[in-house]
Coordinates of all heavy atoms in Angstrom, one line a residue:
M8 N 9.0 -9.7 -3.6 CA 9.8 -10.8 -4.2 C 9.6 -12.0 -3.3 O 9.5 -13.2 -3.7 CB 11.3 -10.4 -4.2 CG 12.1 -11.4 -4.9 SD 11.6 -11.4 -6.7 CE 12.6 -12.6 -7.3
K9 N 9.4 -11.8 -1.9 CA 9.2 -12.9 -1.0 C 7.9 -13.7 -1.3 O 7.9 -14.9 -1.3 CB 9.2 -12.4 0.4 CG 10.5 -12.0 1.0 CD 10.4 -11.5 2.4 CE 11.7 -11.1 2.9 NZ 11.6 -10.6 4.3
C10 N 6.9 -12.9 -1.7 CA 5.6 -13.5 -2.0 C 5.8 -14.4 -3.3 O 5.3 -15.5 -3.3 CB 4.5 -12.5 -2.3 SG 4.0 -11.6 -0.8
A11 N 6.4 -13.9 -4.3 CA 6.6 -14.7 -5.5 C 7.5 -15.9 -5.2 O 7.2 -17.0 -5.7 CB 7.3 -13.8 -6.6
D12 N 8.5 -15.8 -4.4 CA 9.3 -16.9 -4.1 C 8.5 -18.0 -3.3 O 8.7 -19.2 -3.5 CB 10.5 -16.5 -3.2 CG 11.6 -15.8 -4.0 OD1 11.6 -15.9 -5.3 OD2 12.4 -15.1 -3.4
R13 N 7.6 -17.6 -2.4 CA 6.8 -18.5 -1.7 C 5.9 -19.2 -2.6 O 5.6 -20.4 -2.4 CB 6.1 -17.7 -0.6 CG 5.3 -18.6 0.4 CD 6.2 -19.6 1.2 NE 5.4 -20.4 2.0 CZ 5.8 -21.6 2.4 NH1 6.9 -22.1 2.0 NH2 5.0 -22.4 3.1
I14 N 5.3 -18.5 -3.5 CA 4.4 -19.2 -4.5 C 5.1 -20.3 -5.2 O 4.6 -21.4 -5.4 CB 3.8 -18.2 -5.5 CG1 2.8 -17.3 -4.7 CG2 3.1 -18.9 -6.6 CD1 2.3 -16.1 -5.5
L15 N 6.3 -20.0 -5.6 CA 7.2 -21.0 -6.4 C 7.5 -22.2 -5.4 O 7.5 -23.3 -5.8 CB 8.4 -20.3 -6.9 CG 8.1 -19.3 -8.1 CD1 9.4 -18.6 -8.5 CD2 7.4 -20.0 -9.3
D16 N 7.9 -21.8 -4.2 CA 8.2 -22.9 -3.2 C 7.1 -23.9 -3.0 O 7.3 -25.0 -2.8 CB 8.6 -22.3 -1.8 CG 9.9 -21.5 -1.8 OD1 10.7 -21.7 -2.8 OD2 10.2 -20.8 -0.9
L17 N 5.8 -23.4 -3.1 CA 4.7 -24.2 -2.9 C 4.2 -24.9 -4.2 O 3.2 -25.6 -4.2 CB 3.5 -23.3 -2.3 CG 3.7 -22.8 -0.9 CD1 2.6 -21.8 -0.6 CD2 3.8 -23.9 0.1
G18 N 5.0 -24.7 -5.2 CA 4.7 -25.4 -6.5 C 3.8 -24.7 -7.4 O 3.3 -25.2 -8.4
G19 N 3.5 -23.4 -7.1 CA 2.6 -22.6 -7.9 C 3.4 -22.0 -9.1 O 4.6 -22.2 -9.2
T20 N 2.7 -21.4 -10.0 CA 3.3 -20.7 -11.1 C 2.9 -19.2 -11.0 O 1.8 -18.9 -10.5 CB 2.8 -21.3 -12.5 OG1 1.4 -21.2 -12.5 CG2 3.3 -22.7 -12.6
L21 N 3.8 -18.4 -11.5 CA 3.5 -17.0 -11.5 C 2.9 -16.6 -12.8 O 3.4 -17.0 -13.9 CB 4.8 -16.2 -11.3 CG 5.5 -16.5 -9.9 CD1 6.8 -15.7 -9.9 CD2 4.6 -16.1 -8.8
K22 N 1.9 -15.8 -12.8 CA 1.3 -15.2 -14.0 C 1.4 -13.7 -13.9 O 0.7 -13.1 -13.1 CB -0.2 -15.7 -14.1 CG -0.8 -15.1 -15.3 CD -2.3 -15.6 -15.4 CE -3.0 -15.1 -16.6 NZ -4.4 -15.4 -16.6
L23 N 2.3 -13.2 -14.6 CA 2.6 -11.7 -14.6 C 1.8 -11.1 -15.8 O 1.9 -11.6 -16.9 CB 4.1 -11.4 -14.7 CG 4.9 -12.1 -13.7 CD1 6.4 -11.7 -13.9 CD2 4.6 -11.6 -12.3
E24 N 1.0 -10.1 -15.5 CA 0.3 -9.5 -16.5 C 0.2 -8.0 -16.2 O 0.3 -7.6 -15.0 CB -1.1 -10.1 -16.7 CG -1.9 -10.2 -15.4 CD -3.2 -11.0 -15.6 OE1 -3.1 -12.1 -16.1 OE2 -4.2 -10.5 -15.2
A25 N -0.1 -7.2 -17.2 CA -0.2 -5.8 -17.0 C -1.5 -5.4 -16.1 O -2.5 -6.1 -16.3 CB -0.3 -5.0 -18.3
K26 N -1.3 -4.5 -15.3 CA -2.5 -4.1 -14.5 C -3.1 -2.9 -15.1 O -2.5 -2.2 -16.0 CB -2.1 -3.8 -13.0 CG -1.1 -2.7 -12.8 CD -0.9 -2.5 -11.3 CE 0.0 -1.2 -11.1 NZ 0.2 -1.0 -9.7
K27 N -4.3 -2.5 -14.7 CA -5.0 -1.4 -15.2 C -4.1 -0.1 -15.1 O -3.5 0.1 -14.0 CB -6.3 -1.2 -14.5 CG -7.1 -0.1 -15.0 CD -8.4 0.0 -14.2 CE -9.2 1.2 -14.6 NZ -10.3 1.5 -13.7
E28 N -4.1 0.7 -16.1 CA -3.3 1.9 -16.1 C -3.9 2.9 -15.1 O -5.1 3.1 -15.0 CB -3.4 2.5 -17.5 CG -2.5 3.7 -17.7 CD -2.5 4.2 -19.1 OE1 -2.2 3.5 -20.0 OE2 -3.0 5.4 -19.2
A29 N -3.0 3.4 -14.2 CA -3.4 4.4 -13.2 C -3.5 5.8 -13.9 O -2.8 6.0 -14.9 CB -2.4 4.4 -12.1
P30 N -4.3 6.6 -13.3 CA -4.4 8.0 -13.9 C -3.1 8.7 -13.7 O -2.3 8.4 -12.9 CB -5.5 8.6 -13.0 CG -6.0 7.6 -12.1 CD -5.2 6.4 -12.2
L31 N -2.9 9.7 -14.6 CA -1.7 10.5 -14.5 C -2.0 11.7 -13.7 O -3.0 12.4 -13.9 CB -1.3 10.9 -15.9 CG -0.1 11.8 -16.0 CD1 1.2 11.1 -15.5 CD2 0.1 12.3 -17.5
F32 N -1.2 12.0 -12.7 CA -1.4 13.1 -11.8 C -0.4 14.2 -12.0 O 0.8 13.8 -12.1 CB -1.4 12.6 -10.3 CG -2.6 11.8 -10.0 CD1 -2.5 10.4 -10.1 CD2 -3.8 12.3 -9.6 CE1 -3.6 9.6 -9.7 CE2 -4.9 11.5 -9.2 CZ -4.8 10.2 -9.3
T33 N -0.8 15.4 -12.0 CA 0.2 16.5 -12.0 C 0.3 17.2 -10.6 O 1.0 18.1 -10.4 CB -0.2 17.5 -13.1 OG1 -1.5 18.0 -12.8 CG2 -0.1 16.9 -14.5
D34 N -0.6 16.8 -9.7 CA -0.6 17.4 -8.4 C -0.3 16.3 -7.3 O -1.0 15.2 -7.3 CB -2.1 17.9 -8.2 CG -2.2 18.6 -6.8 OD1 -1.7 18.1 -5.8 OD2 -2.9 19.6 -6.8
A35 N 0.7 16.5 -6.5 CA 1.2 15.5 -5.6 C 0.1 15.1 -4.5 O 0.0 14.0 -4.1 CB 2.4 16.0 -4.9
I36 N -0.7 16.1 -4.2 CA -1.7 15.9 -3.2 C -2.8 15.0 -3.7 O -3.3 14.1 -3.0 CB -2.3 17.2 -2.6 CG1 -1.1 18.0 -1.9 CG2 -3.4 17.0 -1.7 CD1 -1.4 19.4 -1.5
E37 N -3.2 15.3 -4.9 CA -4.2 14.5 -5.6 C -3.7 13.0 -5.8 O -4.5 12.0 -5.6 CB -4.7 15.0 -6.9 CG -5.5 16.3 -6.8 CD -6.7 16.2 -5.8 OE1 -7.4 15.3 -6.0 OE2 -6.8 17.1 -5.0
Y38 N -2.4 12.9 -6.1 CA -1.9 11.5 -6.2 C -1.9 10.8 -4.8 O -2.2 9.7 -4.7 CB -0.4 11.6 -6.7 CG 0.2 10.2 -6.6 CD1 -0.1 9.2 -7.6 CD2 1.1 9.9 -5.6 CE1 0.4 8.0 -7.5 CE2 1.7 8.6 -5.5 CZ 1.3 7.7 -6.5 OH 1.8 6.4 -6.4
M39 N -1.5 11.6 -3.7 CA -1.6 10.9 -2.4 C -3.0 10.5 -2.1 O -3.1 9.4 -1.5 CB -1.1 11.9 -1.4 CG 0.4 12.0 -1.2 SD 1.0 12.9 0.3 CE 0.1 14.4 0.2
K40 N -3.9 11.2 -2.4 CA -5.4 10.8 -2.1 C -5.7 9.5 -2.9 O -6.3 8.6 -2.3 CB -6.3 11.9 -2.5 CG -6.3 13.1 -1.6 CD -7.2 14.2 -2.1 CE -7.1 15.4 -1.2 NZ -8.0 16.5 -1.7
Y41 N -5.3 9.5 -4.2 CA -5.5 8.3 -5.0 C -4.8 7.1 -4.4 O -5.3 6.0 -4.2 CB -5.1 8.6 -6.4 CG -5.1 7.3 -7.3 CD1 -6.3 6.9 -7.9 CD2 -3.9 6.7 -7.6 CE1 -6.2 5.7 -8.7 CE2 -3.9 5.5 -8.3 CZ -5.1 5.1 -8.9 OH -5.0 4.0 -9.7
D42 N -3.5 7.3 -4.1 CA -2.7 6.2 -3.6 C -3.2 5.7 -2.2 O -3.1 4.5 -2.0 CB -1.2 6.7 -3.5 CG -0.2 5.6 -3.3 OD1 -0.3 4.5 -4.0 OD2 0.6 5.6 -2.3
L43 N -3.7 6.6 -1.4 CA -4.2 6.2 -0.1 C -5.4 5.3 -0.3 O -5.6 4.3 0.4 CB -4.6 7.4 0.7 CG -5.3 7.2 2.0 CD1 -4.4 6.4 2.9 CD2 -5.7 8.5 2.7
Q44 N -6.3 5.6 -1.3 CA -7.5 4.8 -1.5 C -7.0 3.4 -2.0 O -7.6 2.4 -1.7 CB -8.4 5.4 -2.5 CG -9.7 4.7 -2.6 CD -10.4 4.5 -1.3 OE1 -10.7 5.5 -0.5 NE2 -10.8 3.2 -0.9
V45 N -6.0 3.4 -2.9 CA -5.5 2.1 -3.4 C -4.9 1.3 -2.3 O -5.2 0.1 -2.2 CB -4.4 2.4 -4.5 CG1 -3.7 1.1 -4.8 CG2 -5.1 3.0 -5.8
S46 N -4.2 1.9 -1.4 CA -3.7 1.2 -0.2 C -4.8 0.7 0.7 O -4.7 -0.5 1.1 CB -2.8 2.2 0.7 OG -1.7 2.5 0.0
K47 N -5.8 1.5 1.0 CA -7.0 1.0 1.8 C -7.6 -0.2 1.2 O -7.9 -1.2 1.9 CB -7.9 2.1 2.0 CG -7.4 3.2 3.0 CD -8.5 4.2 3.2 CE -8.0 5.3 4.2 NZ -9.0 6.3 4.4
D48 N -7.9 -0.1 -0.1 CA -8.5 -1.3 -0.8 C -7.6 -2.5 -0.8 O -8.1 -3.6 -0.6 CB -8.8 -0.9 -2.3 CG -9.8 0.2 -2.4 OD1 -10.6 0.5 -1.4 OD2 -9.9 0.8 -3.5
G49 N -6.3 -2.3 -1.0 CA -5.4 -3.4 -1.0 C -5.3 -4.1 0.3 O -5.2 -5.3 0.5
L50 N -5.2 -3.2 1.4 CA -5.1 -3.8 2.7 C -6.4 -4.6 3.1 O -6.3 -5.6 3.8 CB -4.9 -2.6 3.7 CG -3.4 -2.1 3.8 CD1 -3.4 -0.8 4.6 CD2 -2.5 -3.1 4.2
A51 N -7.5 -4.1 2.7 CA -8.8 -4.9 3.0 C -8.7 -6.2 2.4 O -9.1 -7.3 3.0 CB -10.0 -4.1 2.5
W52 N -8.2 -6.3 1.2 CA -8.1 -7.6 0.5 C -7.0 -8.5 1.1 O -7.2 -9.7 1.4 CB -7.8 -7.4 -1.0 CG -7.5 -8.6 -1.8 CD1 -8.3 -9.5 -2.2 CD2 -6.2 -9.0 -2.2 NE1 -7.7 -10.5 -2.9 CE2 -6.3 -10.2 -2.9 CE3 -4.9 -8.5 -2.1 CZ2 -5.3 -11.0 -3.5 CZ3 -3.8 -9.2 -2.6 CH2 -4.1 -10.4 -3.3
L53 N -5.8 -7.8 1.4 CA -4.7 -8.5 2.0 C -5.0 -9.1 3.4 O -4.5 -10.1 3.8 CB -3.5 -7.6 2.0 CG -2.2 -8.2 2.4 CD1 -1.8 -9.4 1.5 CD2 -1.1 -7.1 2.3
A54 N -5.8 -8.4 4.2 CA -6.2 -8.8 5.5 C -6.8 -10.2 5.5 O -6.5 -11.1 6.3 CB -7.1 -7.8 6.2
G55 N -7.7 -10.5 4.5 CA -8.3 -11.8 4.3 C -7.2 -12.9 4.0 O -7.3 -14.0 4.5
L56 N -6.2 -12.5 3.2 CA -5.2 -13.5 2.8 C -4.3 -13.8 4.1 O -4.0 -15.0 4.3 CB -4.3 -13.0 1.8 CG -4.9 -12.8 0.4 CD1 -3.8 -12.2 -0.6 CD2 -5.4 -14.1 -0.1
V57 N -4.1 -12.8 4.9 CA -3.3 -13.0 6.1 C -4.0 -14.0 7.0 O -3.4 -15.0 7.5 CB -3.0 -11.7 6.8 CG1 -2.3 -11.9 8.2 CG2 -2.1 -10.8 5.9
E58 N -5.3 -13.8 7.2 CA -6.1 -14.6 8.1 C -6.1 -16.1 7.5 O -6.1 -17.0 8.3 CB -7.5 -14.1 8.2 CG -7.6 -13.0 9.2 CD -7.1 -13.3 10.6 OE1 -7.4 -14.3 11.1 OE2 -6.3 -12.5 11.1
E59 N -6.3 -16.2 6.2 CA -6.4 -17.6 5.6 C -5.1 -18.3 5.7 O -5.1 -19.5 5.6 CB -6.8 -17.4 4.2 CG -8.2 -17.0 3.9 CD -8.6 -16.9 2.5 OE1 -8.0 -17.6 1.6 OE2 -9.6 -16.1 2.2
S60 N -4.0 -17.6 5.9 CA -2.7 -18.3 5.9 C -2.2 -18.6 7.3 O -1.1 -19.1 7.4 CB -1.7 -17.4 5.1 OG -1.3 -16.2 5.9
R61 N -3.0 -18.4 8.3 CA -2.5 -18.6 9.6 C -2.0 -20.0 9.9 O -1.1 -20.2 10.7 CB -3.6 -18.3 10.6 CG -3.9 -16.9 10.8 CD -4.6 -16.6 12.1 NE -4.8 -15.2 12.4 CZ -3.9 -14.4 13.0 NH1 -2.8 -14.9 13.5 NH2 -4.2 -13.2 13.2
S62 N -2.4 -21.0 9.2 CA -2.0 -22.4 9.4 C -0.6 -22.7 8.7 O 0.0 -23.7 9.0 CB -3.0 -23.4 9.0 OG -3.3 -23.3 7.7
D63 N -0.2 -21.8 7.8 CA 1.0 -22.0 7.1 C 2.0 -20.9 7.6 O 1.9 -19.7 7.1 CB 0.8 -21.9 5.6 CG 2.0 -21.9 4.8 OD1 3.1 -21.9 5.3 OD2 1.9 -22.0 3.5
Y64 N 2.8 -21.2 8.5 CA 3.6 -20.2 9.2 C 4.5 -19.4 8.3 O 4.6 -18.2 8.5 CB 4.4 -20.8 10.4 CG 3.5 -21.5 11.4 CD1 3.6 -22.8 11.7 CD2 2.5 -20.8 12.1 CE1 2.8 -23.5 12.6 CE2 1.7 -21.4 13.1 CZ 1.9 -22.7 13.3 OH 1.1 -23.4 14.2
A65 N 5.1 -20.0 7.4 CA 6.0 -19.3 6.5 C 5.3 -18.3 5.7 O 5.7 -17.1 5.5 CB 6.8 -20.3 5.6
T66 N 4.1 -18.7 5.1 CA 3.3 -17.8 4.3 C 2.7 -16.7 5.2 O 2.7 -15.5 4.8 CB 2.2 -18.6 3.6 OG1 2.8 -19.6 2.8 CG2 1.4 -17.7 2.7
F67 N 2.3 -17.0 6.3 CA 1.7 -16.1 7.3 C 2.7 -15.0 7.6 O 2.4 -13.8 7.5 CB 1.2 -16.8 8.5 CG 0.7 -15.8 9.6 CD1 -0.6 -15.2 9.4 CD2 1.5 -15.5 10.6 CE1 -1.1 -14.4 10.4 CE2 1.0 -14.6 11.6 CZ -0.3 -14.0 11.5
D68 N 3.9 -15.4 7.9 CA 4.9 -14.4 8.2 C 5.3 -13.4 7.1 O 5.4 -12.2 7.3 CB 6.2 -15.1 8.7 CG 6.1 -15.7 10.1 OD1 5.2 -15.3 10.8 OD2 7.0 -16.5 10.4
I69 N 5.3 -14.0 5.9 CA 5.6 -13.1 4.7 C 4.4 -12.1 4.5 O 4.7 -10.9 4.3 CB 5.8 -14.0 3.4 CG1 7.1 -14.8 3.6 CG2 5.8 -13.2 2.2 CD1 7.3 -15.9 2.5
L70 N 3.2 -12.6 4.5 CA 2.1 -11.8 4.3 C 1.8 -10.8 5.4 O 1.5 -9.6 5.2 CB 0.8 -12.6 4.1 CG 0.7 -13.4 2.8 CD1 -0.5 -14.3 2.8 CD2 0.8 -12.5 1.6
K71 N 2.1 -11.2 6.7 CA 1.9 -10.3 7.8 C 3.0 -9.2 7.7 O 2.6 -8.0 7.9 CB 2.2 -11.0 9.1 CG 2.1 -10.2 10.4 CD 2.3 -11.0 11.6 CE 3.6 -11.7 11.7 NZ 4.8 -10.9 12.1
D72 N 4.2 -9.5 7.3 CA 5.2 -8.4 7.2 C 4.8 -7.5 6.0 O 5.0 -6.2 6.1 CB 6.6 -9.0 6.9 CG 7.2 -9.7 8.1 OD1 6.7 -9.5 9.2 OD2 8.1 -10.5 7.9
Y73 N 4.4 -8.0 4.9 CA 3.9 -7.2 3.8 C 2.7 -6.3 4.2 O 2.7 -5.1 3.9 CB 3.5 -8.1 2.7 CG 3.1 -7.4 1.4 CD1 3.9 -6.4 0.8 CD2 1.9 -7.7 0.8 CE1 3.5 -5.8 -0.4 CE2 1.5 -7.0 -0.4 CZ 2.3 -6.1 -0.9 OH 1.9 -5.4 -2.1
Y74 N 1.8 -6.9 4.9 CA 0.7 -6.1 5.4 C 1.1 -4.9 6.3 O 0.7 -3.8 6.1 CB -0.3 -7.0 6.2 CG -1.6 -6.3 6.6 CD1 -2.7 -6.3 5.9 CD2 -1.6 -5.5 7.8 CE1 -3.9 -5.6 6.2 CE2 -2.7 -4.8 8.2 CZ -3.9 -4.9 7.4 OH -5.0 -4.2 7.8
E75 N 2.0 -5.2 7.2 CA 2.5 -4.2 8.1 C 3.2 -3.1 7.4 O 3.1 -1.9 7.7 CB 3.4 -4.8 9.2 CG 2.6 -5.6 10.2 CD 3.5 -6.4 11.1 OE1 4.7 -6.4 11.0 OE2 2.9 -7.1 12.0
D76 N 4.0 -3.4 6.4 CA 4.7 -2.4 5.6 C 3.7 -1.5 4.8 O 3.9 -0.3 4.8 CB 5.7 -3.1 4.6 CG 6.5 -2.2 3.8 OD1 7.2 -1.3 4.5 OD2 6.5 -2.3 2.6
E77 N 2.7 -2.1 4.2 CA 1.7 -1.4 3.5 C 0.9 -0.5 4.4 O 0.5 0.6 4.1 CB 0.8 -2.3 2.7 CG 1.5 -3.0 1.5 CD 2.0 -2.0 0.5 OE1 1.2 -1.1 0.1 OE2 3.2 -2.1 0.1
E78 N 0.6 -1.0 5.6 CA -0.1 -0.3 6.6 C 0.6 1.0 7.1 O 0.1 2.1 7.2 CB -0.5 -1.2 7.8 CG -1.4 -0.5 8.8 CD -1.7 -1.5 9.9 OE1 -0.8 -2.1 10.5 OE2 -2.9 -1.7 10.2
T79 N 2.0 0.8 7.2 CA 2.8 1.9 7.6 C 2.7 3.0 6.5 O 2.6 4.2 6.8 CB 4.3 1.5 7.8 OG1 4.3 0.6 8.9 CG2 5.2 2.7 8.1
D80 N 2.8 2.6 5.2 CA 2.7 3.5 4.1 C 1.4 4.3 4.1 O 1.3 5.5 3.9 CB 2.9 2.8 2.8 CG 4.3 2.3 2.5 OD1 5.2 2.7 3.3 OD2 4.5 1.5 1.6
M81 N 0.3 3.5 4.4 CA -1.0 4.1 4.5 C -1.1 5.2 5.6 O -1.6 6.3 5.4 CB -2.1 3.1 4.7 CG -3.5 3.6 4.7 SD -4.7 2.5 5.4 CE -4.3 2.4 7.1
Y82 N -0.5 4.9 6.8 CA -0.6 5.8 7.9 C 0.3 7.1 7.5 O -0.1 8.2 7.9 CB -0.1 5.2 9.2 CG -1.0 4.2 9.7 CD1 -0.5 3.0 10.3 CD2 -2.4 4.4 9.7 CE1 -1.4 2.1 10.9 CE2 -3.3 3.5 10.3 CZ -2.8 2.3 10.8 OH -3.6 1.4 11.4
E83 N 1.4 6.9 6.9 CA 2.2 8.1 6.4 C 1.4 9.0 5.5 O 1.5 10.2 5.6 CB 3.5 7.6 5.8 CG 4.5 7.0 6.8 CD 5.7 6.4 6.2 OE1 5.9 6.5 4.9 OE2 6.5 5.8 6.9
A84 N 0.7 8.4 4.5 CA -0.1 9.1 3.6 C -1.2 9.9 4.3 O -1.5 11.1 4.1 CB -0.6 8.3 2.5
E85 N -1.9 9.2 5.3 CA -2.9 9.8 6.0 C -2.4 11.0 6.8 O -3.0 12.1 6.9 CB -3.6 8.9 7.0 CG -4.5 7.8 6.3 CD -5.0 6.8 7.3 OE1 -4.4 6.5 8.3 OE2 -6.1 6.3 6.9
G86 N -1.2 10.9 7.4 CA -0.6 11.9 8.1 C -0.2 13.1 7.3 O -0.5 14.3 7.6
E87 N 0.3 12.9 6.1 CA 0.6 14.0 5.1 C -0.6 14.7 4.7 O -0.7 15.9 4.6 CB 1.4 13.4 3.9 CG 2.8 13.1 4.2 CD 3.7 14.3 4.6 OE1 3.7 15.3 3.9 OE2 4.3 14.2 5.7
L88 N -1.7 14.0 4.4 CA -3.0 14.6 4.0 C -3.6 15.4 5.2 O -4.2 16.5 4.9 CB -3.9 13.5 3.4 CG -3.5 13.0 2.1 CD1 -4.4 11.8 1.7 CD2 -3.6 14.0 1.0
A89 N -3.4 14.9 6.4 CA -3.9 15.7 7.5 C -3.1 17.0 7.7 O -3.7 18.0 8.0 CB -3.8 14.8 8.8
L90 N -1.8 16.9 7.4 CA -1.0 18.1 7.5 C -1.4 19.1 6.4 O -1.5 20.3 6.7 CB 0.5 17.7 7.3 CG 1.5 18.8 7.5 CD1 1.4 19.4 8.8 CD2 2.9 18.2 7.2
V91 N -1.7 18.6 5.2 CA -2.2 19.5 4.2 C -3.5 20.2 4.7 O -3.6 21.5 4.5 CB -2.5 18.7 2.9 CG1 -3.3 19.6 1.9 CG2 -1.2 18.2 2.3
E92 N -4.4 19.5 5.3 CA -5.6 20.1 5.8 C -5.3 21.1 6.9 O -6.0 22.2 7.0 CB -6.5 19.0 6.4 CG -7.2 18.2 5.3 CD -8.1 18.9 4.4 OE1 -8.9 19.7 4.9 OE2 -7.9 18.7 3.2
T93 N -4.3 20.9 7.7 CA -4.0 21.8 8.8 C -3.3 23.0 8.4 O -3.6 24.1 8.8 CB -3.1 21.0 9.8 OG1 -3.8 19.9 10.3 CG2 -2.8 21.9 11.0
I94 N -2.2 22.9 7.5 CA -1.4 24.0 7.2 C -1.7 24.6 5.8 O -1.2 25.7 5.5 CB 0.1 23.7 7.3 CG1 0.5 22.7 6.2 CG2 0.5 23.3 8.7 CD1 2.0 22.4 6.1
G95 N -2.5 23.9 5.0 CA -2.9 24.4 3.7 C -2.0 23.9 2.6 O -0.8 23.5 2.9
R96 N -2.5 23.8 1.4 CA -1.8 23.3 0.3 C -0.5 24.0 0.0 O 0.5 23.4 -0.2 CB -2.8 23.4 -0.9 CG -2.3 22.9 -2.2 CD -3.4 23.1 -3.3 NE -4.4 22.1 -3.2 CZ -4.4 20.9 -3.7 NH1 -3.3 20.5 -4.4 NH2 -5.4 20.0 -3.6
E97 N -0.5 25.3 -0.1 CA 0.6 26.1 -0.4 C 1.8 25.9 0.6 O 2.9 25.8 0.2 CB 0.3 27.6 -0.5 CG -0.6 27.9 -1.7 CD -2.1 27.6 -1.5 OE1 -2.5 27.4 -0.3 OE2 -2.8 27.5 -2.4
N98 N 1.4 25.9 1.9 CA 2.4 25.8 2.9 C 3.0 24.3 2.9 O 4.2 24.1 3.2 CB 1.9 26.0 4.3 CG 1.6 27.5 4.5 OD1 2.3 28.4 4.0 ND2 0.6 27.8 5.3
W99 N 2.2 23.4 2.6 CA 2.7 22.0 2.5 C 3.7 21.9 1.4 O 4.7 21.3 1.5 CB 1.5 21.0 2.3 CG 1.9 19.6 2.3 CD1 2.1 18.8 3.3 CD2 2.2 18.8 1.1 NE1 2.5 17.5 2.9 CE2 2.6 17.5 1.6 CE3 2.2 19.0 -0.3 CZ2 3.0 16.5 0.7 CZ3 2.6 18.0 -1.1 CH2 3.0 16.8 -0.7
Y100 N 3.3 22.5 0.2 CA 4.3 22.4 -0.9 C 5.6 23.1 -0.6 O 6.6 22.7 -1.0 CB 3.6 23.0 -2.2 CG 2.8 22.1 -3.0 CD1 1.4 22.3 -3.2 CD2 3.3 20.9 -3.5 CE1 0.7 21.4 -3.9 CE2 2.6 20.0 -4.3 CZ 1.2 20.3 -4.4 OH 0.5 19.4 -5.2
A101 N 5.5 24.3 0.1 CA 6.7 25.0 0.5 C 7.6 24.2 1.4 O 8.8 24.3 1.3 CB 6.2 26.3 1.2
R102 N 7.0 23.3 2.2 CA 7.8 22.5 3.1 C 8.5 21.4 2.3 O 9.6 20.9 2.8 CB 6.9 21.8 4.2 CG 6.3 22.7 5.2 CD 5.5 21.9 6.2 NE 6.5 21.2 7.1 CZ 6.4 19.9 7.4 NH1 5.5 19.1 6.8 NH2 7.3 19.3 8.2
K103 N 8.0 21.1 1.2 CA 8.6 20.0 0.4 C 9.8 20.5 -0.5 O 10.5 19.7 -1.1 CB 7.6 19.3 -0.5 CG 6.5 18.6 0.3 CD 7.1 17.5 1.1 CE 6.1 16.9 2.0 NZ 6.7 15.9 2.9
L104 N 9.9 21.8 -0.6 CA 11.0 22.3 -1.4 C 12.4 22.2 -0.8 O 12.6 22.1 0.3 CB 10.8 23.8 -1.8 CG 9.6 24.1 -2.6 CD1 9.4 25.6 -2.8 CD2 9.7 23.5 -4.0

């Protein structure tokens, strides 16, 4: 919401449109792998925006905070997937019950 508010503050307009439909997953581990790749791709794109906004302190702070939040989510997913590799799929699912 902060990003949308900042765009409006700068006189921009918001264009909301449907994004490409994500695959349907019935396996949590497969979803985590997919979501991790989406996060990595998004962070690569967002890193450029953060750098480009360095001269606009308000925008930079919003984007930097957003980047850090997404990066934390990515690290959590990486940790969960590493745990699956270490203890196995069945044991990981058992821990989630």
